[in-house]
PDB file of all heavy atoms in Angstrom:
ATOM      1  N   LEU A  16     161.586 -40.333  46.140  1.00 98.00           N
ATOM      2  CA  LEU A  16     160.629 -41.326  46.644  1.00 98.00           C
ATOM      3  C   LEU A  16     161.262 -42.711  46.706  1.00 98.00           C
ATOM      4  O   LEU A  16     161.098 -43.436  47.688  1.00 98.00           O
ATOM      5  CB  LEU A  16     159.371 -41.343  45.756  1.00 98.00           C
ATOM      6  CG  LEU A  16     158.290 -42.345  46.159  1.00 98.00           C
ATOM      7  CD1 LEU A  16     157.788 -42.097  47.594  1.00 98.00           C
ATOM      8  CD2 LEU A  16     157.109 -42.324  45.189  1.00 98.00           C
ATOM      9  N   ASP A  17     162.016 -43.060  45.663  1.00 98.00           N
ATOM     10  CA  ASP A  17     162.696 -44.371  45.663  1.00 98.00           C
ATOM     11  C   ASP A  17     163.642 -44.516  46.846  1.00 98.00           C
ATOM     12  O   ASP A  17     163.696 -45.557  47.499  1.00 98.00           O
ATOM     13  CB  ASP A  17     163.465 -44.587  44.353  1.00 98.00           C
ATOM     14  CG  ASP A  17     162.532 -44.810  43.162  1.00 98.00           C
ATOM     15  OD1 ASP A  17     161.338 -45.096  43.409  1.00 98.00           O
ATOM     16  OD2 ASP A  17     162.979 -44.682  42.015  1.00 98.00           O
ATOM     17  N   THR A  18     164.379 -43.437  47.120  1.00 98.00           N
ATOM     18  CA  THR A  18     165.306 -43.443  48.269  1.00 98.00           C
ATOM     19  C   THR A  18     164.550 -43.659  49.560  1.00 98.00           C
ATOM     20  O   THR A  18     164.956 -44.416  50.431  1.00 98.00           O
ATOM     21  CB  THR A  18     166.107 -42.119  48.330  1.00 98.00           C
ATOM     22  OG1 THR A  18     166.799 -41.948  47.099  1.00 98.00           O
ATOM     23  CG2 THR A  18     167.096 -42.116  49.471  1.00 98.00           C
ATOM     24  N   MET A  19     163.414 -42.975  49.670  1.00 98.00           N
ATOM     25  CA  MET A  19     162.610 -43.074  50.895  1.00 98.00           C
ATOM     26  C   MET A  19     162.053 -44.484  51.062  1.00 98.00           C
ATOM     27  O   MET A  19     162.033 -45.017  52.175  1.00 98.00           O
ATOM     28  CB  MET A  19     161.474 -42.046  50.831  1.00 98.00           C
ATOM     29  CG  MET A  19     160.953 -41.651  52.155  1.00 98.00           C
ATOM     30  SD  MET A  19     162.157 -40.833  53.213  1.00 98.00           S
ATOM     31  CE  MET A  19     162.006 -39.178  52.659  1.00 98.00           C
ATOM     32  N   LEU A  20     161.621 -45.098  49.967  1.00 98.00           N
ATOM     33  CA  LEU A  20     161.101 -46.465  50.032  1.00 98.00           C
ATOM     34  C   LEU A  20     162.199 -47.455  50.378  1.00 98.00           C
ATOM     35  O   LEU A  20     161.980 -48.448  51.078  1.00 98.00           O
ATOM     36  CB  LEU A  20     160.410 -46.841  48.725  1.00 98.00           C
ATOM     37  CG  LEU A  20     159.119 -46.059  48.394  1.00 98.00           C
ATOM     38  CD1 LEU A  20     158.594 -46.429  47.028  1.00 98.00           C
ATOM     39  CD2 LEU A  20     158.043 -46.281  49.447  1.00 98.00           C
ATOM     40  N   LYS A  21     163.413 -47.138  49.931  1.00 98.00           N
ATOM     41  CA  LYS A  21     164.559 -47.978  50.265  1.00 98.00           C
ATOM     42  C   LYS A  21     164.868 -47.862  51.759  1.00 98.00           C
ATOM     43  O   LYS A  21     165.134 -48.860  52.447  1.00 98.00           O
ATOM     44  CB  LYS A  21     165.778 -47.544  49.424  1.00 98.00           C
ATOM     45  CG  LYS A  21     166.856 -48.624  49.333  1.00 98.00           C
ATOM     46  CD  LYS A  21     167.839 -48.330  48.210  1.00 98.00           C
ATOM     47  CE  LYS A  21     168.900 -47.364  48.716  1.00 98.00           C
ATOM     48  NZ  LYS A  21     169.822 -46.921  47.642  1.00 98.00           N
ATOM     49  N   LEU A  22     164.833 -46.627  52.294  1.00 98.00           N
ATOM     50  CA  LEU A  22     165.031 -46.423  53.728  1.00 98.00           C
ATOM     51  C   LEU A  22     163.979 -47.201  54.533  1.00 98.00           C
ATOM     52  O   LEU A  22     164.281 -47.746  55.591  1.00 98.00           O
ATOM     53  CB  LEU A  22     164.924 -44.930  54.096  1.00 98.00           C
ATOM     54  CG  LEU A  22     166.094 -44.021  53.750  1.00 98.00           C
ATOM     55  CD1 LEU A  22     165.770 -42.583  54.182  1.00 98.00           C
ATOM     56  CD2 LEU A  22     167.411 -44.458  54.380  1.00 98.00           C
ATOM     57  N   HIS A  23     162.759 -47.220  54.021  1.00 98.00           N
ATOM     58  CA  HIS A  23     161.681 -47.937  54.675  1.00 98.00           C
ATOM     59  C   HIS A  23     161.998 -49.438  54.729  1.00 98.00           C
ATOM     60  O   HIS A  23     161.873 -50.084  55.771  1.00 98.00           O
ATOM     61  CB  HIS A  23     160.356 -47.697  53.932  1.00 98.00           C
ATOM     62  CG  HIS A  23     159.177 -48.406  54.539  1.00 98.00           C
ATOM     63  ND1 HIS A  23     158.863 -49.724  54.272  1.00 98.00           N
ATOM     64  CD2 HIS A  23     158.234 -47.973  55.416  1.00 98.00           C
ATOM     65  CE1 HIS A  23     157.765 -50.061  54.957  1.00 98.00           C
ATOM     66  NE2 HIS A  23     157.366 -49.011  55.649  1.00 98.00           N
ATOM     67  N   LYS A  24     162.435 -49.963  53.601  1.00 97.00           N
ATOM     68  CA  LYS A  24     162.738 -51.404  53.511  1.00 97.00           C
ATOM     69  C   LYS A  24     163.887 -51.770  54.454  1.00 97.00           C
ATOM     70  O   LYS A  24     163.874 -52.815  55.092  1.00 97.00           O
ATOM     71  CB  LYS A  24     163.106 -51.723  52.066  1.00 97.00           C
ATOM     72  CG  LYS A  24     162.896 -53.174  51.672  1.00 97.00           C
ATOM     73  CD  LYS A  24     163.216 -53.382  50.199  1.00 97.00           C
ATOM     74  CE  LYS A  24     162.963 -54.801  49.756  1.00 97.00           C
ATOM     75  NZ  LYS A  24     161.558 -55.209  49.798  1.00 97.00           N
ATOM     76  N   GLN A  25     164.887 -50.876  54.546  1.00 97.00           N
ATOM     77  CA  GLN A  25     166.090 -51.166  55.345  1.00 97.00           C
ATOM     78  C   GLN A  25     165.891 -50.933  56.834  1.00 97.00           C
ATOM     79  O   GLN A  25     166.693 -51.393  57.637  1.00 97.00           O
ATOM     80  CB  GLN A  25     167.256 -50.292  54.860  1.00 97.00           C
ATOM     81  CG  GLN A  25     167.772 -50.667  53.481  1.00 97.00           C
ATOM     82  CD  GLN A  25     168.701 -49.604  52.884  1.00 97.00           C
ATOM     83  OE1 GLN A  25     168.831 -48.509  53.457  1.00 97.00           O
ATOM     84  NE2 GLN A  25     169.305 -49.900  51.755  1.00 97.00           N
ATOM     85  N   ALA A  26     164.835 -50.192  57.193  1.00 97.00           N
ATOM     86  CA  ALA A  26     164.673 -49.822  58.611  1.00 97.00           C
ATOM     87  C   ALA A  26     164.457 -51.038  59.491  1.00 97.00           C
ATOM     88  O   ALA A  26     163.619 -51.893  59.196  1.00 97.00           O
ATOM     89  CB  ALA A  26     163.490 -48.862  58.750  1.00 97.00           C
ATOM     90  N   ASP A  27     165.233 -51.131  60.577  1.00 95.00           N
ATOM     91  CA  ASP A  27     165.083 -52.237  61.526  1.00 95.00           C
ATOM     92  C   ASP A  27     163.901 -51.985  62.460  1.00 95.00           C
ATOM     93  O   ASP A  27     163.205 -52.898  62.864  1.00 95.00           O
ATOM     94  CB  ASP A  27     166.346 -52.386  62.389  1.00 95.00           C
ATOM     95  CG  ASP A  27     167.567 -52.679  61.535  1.00 95.00           C
ATOM     96  OD1 ASP A  27     167.391 -53.293  60.467  1.00 95.00           O
ATOM     97  OD2 ASP A  27     168.677 -52.280  61.929  1.00 95.00           O
ATOM     98  N   MET A  28     163.742 -50.710  62.823  1.00 96.00           N
ATOM     99  CA  MET A  28     162.749 -50.360  63.836  1.00 96.00           C
ATOM    100  C   MET A  28     161.394 -50.076  63.179  1.00 96.00           C
ATOM    101  O   MET A  28     161.328 -49.320  62.211  1.00 96.00           O
ATOM    102  CB  MET A  28     163.195 -49.106  64.595  1.00 96.00           C
ATOM    103  CG  MET A  28     164.568 -49.207  65.210  1.00 96.00           C
ATOM    104  SD  MET A  28     164.508 -50.031  66.802  1.00 96.00           S
ATOM    105  CE  MET A  28     163.706 -48.791  67.788  1.00 96.00           C
ATOM    106  N   GLN A  29     160.334 -50.632  63.763  1.00 97.00           N
ATOM    107  CA  GLN A  29     158.993 -50.360  63.264  1.00 97.00           C
ATOM    108  C   GLN A  29     158.656 -48.864  63.386  1.00 97.00           C
ATOM    109  O   GLN A  29     157.988 -48.304  62.532  1.00 97.00           O
ATOM    110  CB  GLN A  29     157.964 -51.197  64.048  1.00 97.00           C
ATOM    111  CG  GLN A  29     156.563 -51.147  63.481  1.00 97.00           C
ATOM    112  CD  GLN A  29     156.466 -51.614  62.040  1.00 97.00           C
ATOM    113  OE1 GLN A  29     157.076 -52.616  61.663  1.00 97.00           O
ATOM    114  NE2 GLN A  29     155.749 -50.871  61.212  1.00 97.00           N
ATOM    115  N   GLU A  30     159.205 -48.227  64.413  1.00 97.00           N
ATOM    116  CA  GLU A  30     158.985 -46.783  64.620  1.00 97.00           C
ATOM    117  C   GLU A  30     159.455 -45.971  63.404  1.00 97.00           C
ATOM    118  O   GLU A  30     158.793 -45.035  62.969  1.00 97.00           O
ATOM    119  CB  GLU A  30     159.735 -46.334  65.877  1.00 97.00           C
ATOM    120  CG  GLU A  30     159.500 -44.892  66.267  1.00 97.00           C
ATOM    121  CD  GLU A  30     160.436 -44.418  67.374  1.00 97.00           C
ATOM    122  OE1 GLU A  30     161.371 -45.158  67.756  1.00 97.00           O
ATOM    123  OE2 GLU A  30     160.233 -43.301  67.851  1.00 97.00           O
ATOM    124  N   GLU A  31     160.618 -46.348  62.866  1.00 98.00           N
ATOM    125  CA  GLU A  31     161.146 -45.648  61.683  1.00 98.00           C
ATOM    126  C   GLU A  31     160.302 -45.964  60.449  1.00 98.00           C
ATOM    127  O   GLU A  31     160.030 -45.094  59.641  1.00 98.00           O
ATOM    128  CB  GLU A  31     162.605 -46.046  61.473  1.00 98.00           C
ATOM    129  CG  GLU A  31     163.251 -45.497  60.200  1.00 98.00           C
ATOM    130  CD  GLU A  31     163.482 -43.982  60.174  1.00 98.00           C
ATOM    131  OE1 GLU A  31     163.044 -43.266  61.087  1.00 98.00           O
ATOM    132  OE2 GLU A  31     164.099 -43.514  59.198  1.00 98.00           O
ATOM    133  N   LYS A  32     159.866 -47.205  60.314  1.00 98.00           N
ATOM    134  CA  LYS A  32     158.985 -47.548  59.178  1.00 98.00           C
ATOM    135  C   LYS A  32     157.711 -46.700  59.237  1.00 98.00           C
ATOM    136  O   LYS A  32     157.285 -46.141  58.227  1.00 98.00           O
ATOM    137  CB  LYS A  32     158.613 -49.043  59.218  1.00 98.00           C
ATOM    138  CG  LYS A  32     159.761 -49.975  58.753  1.00 98.00           C
ATOM    139  CD  LYS A  32     159.257 -51.388  58.601  1.00 98.00           C
ATOM    140  CE  LYS A  32     160.373 -52.389  58.350  1.00 98.00           C
ATOM    141  NZ  LYS A  32     160.992 -52.272  57.015  1.00 98.00           N
ATOM    142  N   ASN A  33     157.120 -46.602  60.436  1.00 97.00           N
ATOM    143  CA  ASN A  33     155.895 -45.807  60.601  1.00 97.00           C
ATOM    144  C   ASN A  33     156.137 -44.328  60.308  1.00 97.00           C
ATOM    145  O   ASN A  33     155.292 -43.652  59.702  1.00 97.00           O
ATOM    146  CB  ASN A  33     155.332 -45.955  62.009  1.00 97.00           C
ATOM    147  CG  ASN A  33     154.758 -47.342  62.283  1.00 97.00           C
ATOM    148  OD1 ASN A  33     154.755 -47.805  63.414  1.00 97.00           O
ATOM    149  ND2 ASN A  33     154.302 -48.028  61.253  1.00 97.00           N
ATOM    150  N   ARG A  34     157.288 -43.826  60.750  1.00 97.00           N
ATOM    151  CA  ARG A  34     157.631 -42.426  60.520  1.00 97.00           C
ATOM    152  C   ARG A  34     157.666 -42.147  59.003  1.00 97.00           C
ATOM    153  O   ARG A  34     157.130 -41.145  58.528  1.00 97.00           O
ATOM    154  CB  ARG A  34     158.985 -42.122  61.143  1.00 97.00           C
ATOM    155  CG  ARG A  34     159.417 -40.672  61.016  1.00 97.00           C
ATOM    156  CD  ARG A  34     160.820 -40.478  61.564  1.00 97.00           C
ATOM    157  NE  ARG A  34     160.872 -40.453  62.998  1.00 97.00           N
ATOM    158  CZ  ARG A  34     161.582 -41.277  63.761  1.00 97.00           C
ATOM    159  NH1 ARG A  34     162.329 -42.217  63.206  1.00 97.00           N
ATOM    160  NH2 ARG A  34     161.585 -41.185  65.068  1.00 97.00           N
ATOM    161  N   ILE A  35     158.270 -43.058  58.262  1.00 98.00           N
ATOM    162  CA  ILE A  35     158.362 -42.894  56.798  1.00 98.00           C
ATOM    163  C   ILE A  35     156.985 -43.021  56.171  1.00 98.00           C
ATOM    164  O   ILE A  35     156.610 -42.227  55.292  1.00 98.00           O
ATOM    165  CB  ILE A  35     159.361 -43.902  56.214  1.00 98.00           C
ATOM    166  CG1 ILE A  35     160.783 -43.557  56.683  1.00 98.00           C
ATOM    167  CG2 ILE A  35     159.306 -43.911  54.676  1.00 98.00           C
ATOM    168  CD1 ILE A  35     161.844 -44.636  56.395  1.00 98.00           C
ATOM    169  N   GLU A  36     156.198 -44.009  56.632  1.00 98.00           N
ATOM    170  CA  GLU A  36     154.868 -44.216  56.063  1.00 98.00           C
ATOM    171  C   GLU A  36     153.999 -42.959  56.201  1.00 98.00           C
ATOM    172  O   GLU A  36     153.237 -42.608  55.288  1.00 98.00           O
ATOM    173  CB  GLU A  36     154.182 -45.393  56.774  1.00 98.00           C
ATOM    174  CG  GLU A  36     154.758 -46.744  56.374  1.00 98.00           C
ATOM    175  CD  GLU A  36     154.487 -47.851  57.372  1.00 98.00           C
ATOM    176  OE1 GLU A  36     153.758 -47.618  58.371  1.00 98.00           O
ATOM    177  OE2 GLU A  36     154.995 -48.953  57.150  1.00 98.00           O
ATOM    178  N   ARG A  37     154.124 -42.279  57.329  1.00 97.00           N
ATOM    179  CA  ARG A  37     153.279 -41.089  57.582  1.00 97.00           C
ATOM    180  C   ARG A  37     153.630 -39.907  56.684  1.00 97.00           C
ATOM    181  O   ARG A  37     152.789 -39.050  56.465  1.00 97.00           O
ATOM    182  CB  ARG A  37     153.387 -40.663  59.048  1.00 97.00           C
ATOM    183  CG  ARG A  37     152.586 -41.538  59.999  1.00 97.00           C
ATOM    184  CD  ARG A  37     152.432 -40.887  61.381  1.00 97.00           C
ATOM    185  NE  ARG A  37     153.732 -40.720  62.049  1.00 97.00           N
ATOM    186  CZ  ARG A  37     154.292 -41.623  62.840  1.00 97.00           C
ATOM    187  NH1 ARG A  37     153.702 -42.785  63.068  1.00 97.00           N
ATOM    188  NH2 ARG A  37     155.456 -41.399  63.419  1.00 97.00           N
ATOM    189  N   VAL A  38     154.884 -39.861  56.184  1.00 97.00           N
ATOM    190  CA  VAL A  38     155.295 -38.674  55.412  1.00 97.00           C
ATOM    191  C   VAL A  38     155.271 -38.873  53.906  1.00 97.00           C
ATOM    192  O   VAL A  38     155.411 -37.914  53.148  1.00 97.00           O
ATOM    193  CB  VAL A  38     156.707 -38.171  55.835  1.00 97.00           C
ATOM    194  CG1 VAL A  38     156.714 -37.754  57.285  1.00 97.00           C
ATOM    195  CG2 VAL A  38     157.781 -39.201  55.532  1.00 97.00           C
ATOM    196  N   LEU A  39     155.098 -40.108  53.435  1.00 98.00           N
ATOM    197  CA  LEU A  39     155.176 -40.371  51.994  1.00 98.00           C
ATOM    198  C   LEU A  39     154.176 -39.549  51.184  1.00 98.00           C
ATOM    199  O   LEU A  39     154.449 -39.208  50.029  1.00 98.00           O
ATOM    200  CB  LEU A  39     154.954 -41.867  51.711  1.00 98.00           C
ATOM    201  CG  LEU A  39     156.088 -42.797  52.146  1.00 98.00           C
ATOM    202  CD1 LEU A  39     155.670 -44.255  51.970  1.00 98.00           C
ATOM    203  CD2 LEU A  39     157.376 -42.527  51.361  1.00 98.00           C
ATOM    204  N   GLY A  40     153.049 -39.208  51.799  1.00 97.00           N
ATOM    205  CA  GLY A  40     152.016 -38.430  51.113  1.00 97.00           C
ATOM    206  C   GLY A  40     152.416 -37.020  50.767  1.00 97.00           C
ATOM    207  O   GLY A  40     151.697 -36.308  50.078  1.00 97.00           O
ATOM    208  N   ALA A  41     153.598 -36.592  51.237  1.00 97.00           N
ATOM    209  CA  ALA A  41     154.063 -35.223  50.916  1.00 97.00           C
ATOM    210  C   ALA A  41     154.487 -35.098  49.468  1.00 97.00           C
ATOM    211  O   ALA A  41     154.576 -33.989  48.937  1.00 97.00           O
ATOM    212  CB  ALA A  41     155.232 -34.855  51.837  1.00 97.00           C
ATOM    213  N   ILE A  42     154.748 -36.228  48.804  1.00 97.00           N
ATOM    214  CA  ILE A  42     155.200 -36.164  47.405  1.00 97.00           C
ATOM    215  C   ILE A  42     154.109 -35.508  46.543  1.00 97.00           C
ATOM    216  O   ILE A  42     152.918 -35.687  46.795  1.00 97.00           O
ATOM    217  CB  ILE A  42     155.581 -37.591  46.876  1.00 97.00           C
ATOM    218  CG1 ILE A  42     156.518 -37.506  45.689  1.00 97.00           C
ATOM    219  CG2 ILE A  42     154.359 -38.442  46.553  1.00 97.00           C
ATOM    220  CD1 ILE A  42     157.966 -37.461  45.980  1.00 97.00           C
ATOM    221  N   SER A  43     154.537 -34.731  45.533  1.00 93.00           N
ATOM    222  CA  SER A  43     153.557 -33.868  44.839  1.00 93.00           C
ATOM    223  C   SER A  43     153.054 -34.381  43.488  1.00 93.00           C
ATOM    224  O   SER A  43     151.917 -34.124  43.109  1.00 93.00           O
ATOM    225  CB  SER A  43     154.159 -32.482  44.620  1.00 93.00           C
ATOM    226  OG  SER A  43     154.558 -31.930  45.862  1.00 93.00           O
ATOM    227  N   GLN A  44     153.910 -35.076  42.726  1.00 95.00           N
ATOM    228  CA  GLN A  44     153.518 -35.430  41.353  1.00 95.00           C
ATOM    229  C   GLN A  44     152.474 -36.549  41.335  1.00 95.00           C
ATOM    230  O   GLN A  44     152.598 -37.533  42.061  1.00 95.00           O
ATOM    231  CB  GLN A  44     154.733 -35.893  40.535  1.00 95.00           C
ATOM    232  CG  GLN A  44     155.793 -34.826  40.337  1.00 95.00           C
ATOM    233  CD  GLN A  44     156.831 -34.821  41.439  1.00 95.00           C
ATOM    234  OE1 GLN A  44     156.499 -34.999  42.606  1.00 95.00           O
ATOM    235  NE2 GLN A  44     158.086 -34.629  41.080  1.00 95.00           N
ATOM    236  N   PRO A  45     151.441 -36.415  40.472  1.00 96.00           N
ATOM    237  CA  PRO A  45     150.334 -37.374  40.427  1.00 96.00           C
ATOM    238  C   PRO A  45     150.782 -38.834  40.281  1.00 96.00           C
ATOM    239  O   PRO A  45     150.271 -39.707  40.980  1.00 96.00           O
ATOM    240  CB  PRO A  45     149.521 -36.933  39.214  1.00 96.00           C
ATOM    241  CG  PRO A  45     149.815 -35.475  39.078  1.00 96.00           C
ATOM    242  CD  PRO A  45     151.225 -35.275  39.539  1.00 96.00           C
ATOM    243  N   GLU A  46     151.739 -39.101  39.410  1.00 97.00           N
ATOM    244  CA  GLU A  46     152.141 -40.515  39.192  1.00 97.00           C
ATOM    245  C   GLU A  46     152.853 -41.077  40.426  1.00 97.00           C
ATOM    246  O   GLU A  46     152.783 -42.270  40.737  1.00 97.00           O
ATOM    247  CB  GLU A  46     152.982 -40.696  37.925  1.00 97.00           C
ATOM    248  CG  GLU A  46     154.380 -40.121  37.960  1.00 97.00           C
ATOM    249  CD  GLU A  46     154.455 -38.598  37.715  1.00 97.00           C
ATOM    250  OE1 GLU A  46     153.396 -37.929  37.642  1.00 97.00           O
ATOM    251  OE2 GLU A  46     155.578 -38.089  37.592  1.00 97.00           O
TER     252      GLU A  46
END
């Protein structure tokens, strides 16, 4: 998850930010 959030922060394109935002909910652990 940390890696994915880092990719989000580094992304230049809004399209890539949105792509990451849409998939973050796949993570399974409650915390």
Side-chain angles (χ1 to χ4, degrees):
L16 180 58
D17 289 345
T18 302
M19 203 63 85
L20 293 176
K21 200 164 84 186
L22 285 179
H23 180 276
K24 204 177 183 66
Q25 291 167 351
D27 300 330
M28 305 276 289
Q29 189 58 43
E30 185 190 7
E31 174 69 353
K32 285 189 188 289
N33 291 151
R34 183 185 283 122
I35 293 169
E36 287 159 4
R37 283 194 297 270
V38 298
L39 290 173
I42 202 89
S43 303
Q44 297 89 320
E46 70 280 7

